Amino acid sequence: MIDSLAALLAPVTPERFFAEHLDRQPLHIRGTPAKFAEVLSWRQINRLLDMTHIWTSTSLKLVMDSAAVPAEQFCTRATSRDGTPVLQPDAKLVQGWIAKGASVVMNDVDSLSAGLASVSDALEGAGLGKAQANVYISWQSHKAFHTHYDTHDVWAVQVEGEKIWNIWEGRADYPIPHPAFRGQGQAHHDQARGKLRGTVHMQPGDLLYLPRGWYHDALAEAPASVHVAYGVHAPLGMDLMNILSERILYDPEFRKPLPRQDGSNPAKFALTQRAGLLGQRLSELCRDPKVMEVLAQFVGNYRYSRGGFDMLAARGMAPASAPSGGDAPAFRILAAGAKPVRRGAEWVVKGPQGAVVVSPPEAEAAAWLLARPDVTLPELAAAAPAVDAAGLLARLAAAGLLVPAA
């Protein structure tokens, strides 16, 4: 599980990241398939989507070759959990679009599982700002989005498949989510992006950091690709103005009427003098210890509130340290293409951490499970009843062929 910025950036140190990359330039970090195995998996994607009532046409979107699919074409009218009418994604309709190559975007997922929340917590714990996550599922040869920039820093975590990112030289000058920036057309972006800086080939376990405003686009390389994009919104200078706007309520100079204007030079001069006086008062407030204390608290606490519930602890009882039921834990397959090979009278499965000698029944079971993206103990036991499923999973995990998944 990712438990800190250091774990997220490894092997790059946070010190190097802050000195060379934060708000300066992109960073691509190669990882191992196990690095983000607990963040998200195909199994968990299906589990989340099966939580039908948390999804609407806003939280789940489809994009077909860079064009948004109208909600009416993949949703049906339903009633939400609070009794309001909504457009709710329909599994058959969604899968029909997926069969055509439509990309799936799952918005605001950072609190839906411990694995997804772990990366957000690591980013926010380092004081980088509020971290919000979207999942992007795309298919080979189908581009979801044209070249664009984001109005926040992007931390892309590759969890399944492969994706090629084009990173351009152009960077917008600190854009914000405002019509002044959102209204820019694609022709503007295609010109402002500049020359191609380079390409990044993302594989499971890789991390890509893009500063706010940096132009990019991406295309799935493998048959399928899944990455989680964590958008990190840092506190801005504009937030200081919001704090000052509350503070000036108690300053009579800001409550006075501005000088009446009749077009004369003396009236214009009086207005200029008043504006200068108010600007001086703002400058003084920016040095006021009380205002700076409020600003420091605002910046230090700039993160989303997620989690923290413990029903038993609230009653003074022992906390629920471990789940009492639920789904069986899954193991994610790391070594794509690995399979048992016969050597004389023995069967062997090679892994990154060593080789595993297996019996003929175990070889058949291993071939079955290694062809899957993930597997649970009950599934393996049902598929290969003559095999010690737990023992085989443990040996394959020790060889680096699989790892506990989200």
Side-chain angles (χ1 to χ4, degrees):
M1 187 75 71
I2 300 299
D3 59 1
S4 65
L5 183 65
L8 180 63
L9 288 170
V12 174
T13 65
E15 292 75 17
R16 177 186 164 192
F17 170 76
F18 288 130
E20 301 178 9
H21 294 279
L22 180 63
D23 199 32
R24 290 180 175 86
Q25 61 177 327
L27 173 64
H28 174 217
I29 301 176
R30 285 285 183 204
T32 64
K35 184 174 183 179
F36 299 131
E38 294 187 67
V39 173
L40 192 65
S41 66
W42 285 115
R43 181 182 298 270
Q44 191 170 47
I45 288 171
N46 290 335
R47 189 184 309 148
L48 293 176
L49 291 175
D50 280 341
M51 299 177 185
T52 311
H53 285 81
I54 71 172
W55 301 105
T56 67
S57 58
T58 300
S59 56
L60 192 141
K61 295 181 179 294
L62 299 183
V63 181
M64 185 69 187
D65 296 329
S66 303
V69 177
E72 294 77 8
Q73 296 186 23
F74 67 92
C75 295
T76 55
R77 298 192 179 278
T79 302
S80 71
R81 296 178 66 188
D82 57 8
T84 58
V86 296
L87 282 174
Q88 195 170 85
D90 180 273
K92 291 183 179 179
L93 296 177
V94 170
Q95 291 177 174
W97 277 102
I98 290 175
K100 300 175 184 177
S103 296
V104 180
V105 183
M106 302 164 63
N107 291 318
D108 299 317
V109 300
D110 44 281
S111 65
L112 297 186
S113 74
L116 289 165
S118 68
V119 177
S120 291
D121 290 340
L123 294 167
E124 292 177 344
L128 294 173
K130 294 182 176 180
Q132 175 264 343
N134 298 337
V135 174
Y136 293 88
I137 307 169
S138 53
W139 319 100
Q140 196 167 33
S141 303
H142 290 278
K143 179 178 286 190
F145 300 100
H146 294 297
T147 303
H148 65 285
Y149 62 73
D150 290 291
T151 56
H152 50 258
D153 282 7
V154 173
W155 295 71
V157 171
Q158 189 75 21
V159 295
E160 298 280 2
E162 301 177 14
K163 200 162 195 176
I164 298 293
W165 291 63
N166 292 319
I167 312 299
W168 303 86
E169 291 183 348
R171 183 184 182 186
D173 193 12
Y174 296 105
I176 59 174
H178 184 275
F181 298 94
R182 287 180 169 170
Q184 296 169 334
Q186 190 57 44
H188 167 84
H189 294 313
D190 290 343
Q191 181 177 8
R193 71 185 185 183
K195 296 180 180 179
L196 185 66
R197 173 190 172 101
T199 59
V200 172
H201 186 182
M202 293 282 283
Q203 298 174 313
D206 284 8
L207 174 71
L208 176 63
Y209 165 75
L210 293 175
R212 172 162 56 129
W214 211 287
Y215 276 101
H216 62 278
D217 56 75
L219 182 65
E221 177 71 9
S225 169
V226 181
H227 78 271
V228 186
Y230 289 85
V232 179
H233 303 257
L236 309 177
M238 298 173 67
D239 294 312
L240 170 60
M241 298 306 298
N242 292 332
I243 293 174
L244 292 176
S245 68
E246 296 181 6
R247 179 63 181 81
I248 62 177
L249 289 173
Y250 304 97
D251 190 325
E253 287 298 327
F254 288 91
R255 301 199 303 268
K256 290 181 180 179
L258 294 172
R260 184 180 63 85
Q261 296 296 290
D262 58 9
S264 66
N265 287 333
K268 294 178 181 178
F269 179 73
L271 184 62
T272 300
Q273 280 192 314
R274 177 65 64 80
L277 172 63
L278 296 179
Q280 181 179 346
R281 291 291 296 125
L282 286 176
S283 178
E284 293 170 357
L285 286 173
C286 286
R287 295 190 294 271
D288 186 314
K290 292 183 178 179
V291 173
M292 290 302 98
E293 182 180 355
V294 172
L295 179 62
Q297 290 179 348
F298 174 82
V299 174
N301 297 327
Y302 201 75
R303 60 187 300 164
Y304 288 118
S305 174
R306 65 174 69 82
F309 285 93
D310 194 323
M311 299 297 142
L312 295 180
R315 293 290 299 173
M317 302 167 66
S321 58
S324 59
D327 295 341
F331 292 84
R332 179 172 172 178
I333 311 307
L334 299 180
K339 58 183 179 181
V341 177
R342 187 164 187 170
R343 288 185 176 176
E346 293 182 333
W347 286 88
V348 177
V349 186
K350 285 187 176 181
Q353 306 301 324
V356 180
V357 178
V358 294
S359 66
E362 289 177 331
E364 185 177 350
W368 174 82
L369 72 89
L370 290 172
R372 299 163 55 88
D374 54 33
V375 69
T376 66
L377 175 59
E379 288 172 344
L380 179 57
V387 168
D388 175 8
L392 180 59
L393 289 174
R395 289 153 59 202
L396 295 176
L401 291 158
L402 47 87
V403 69

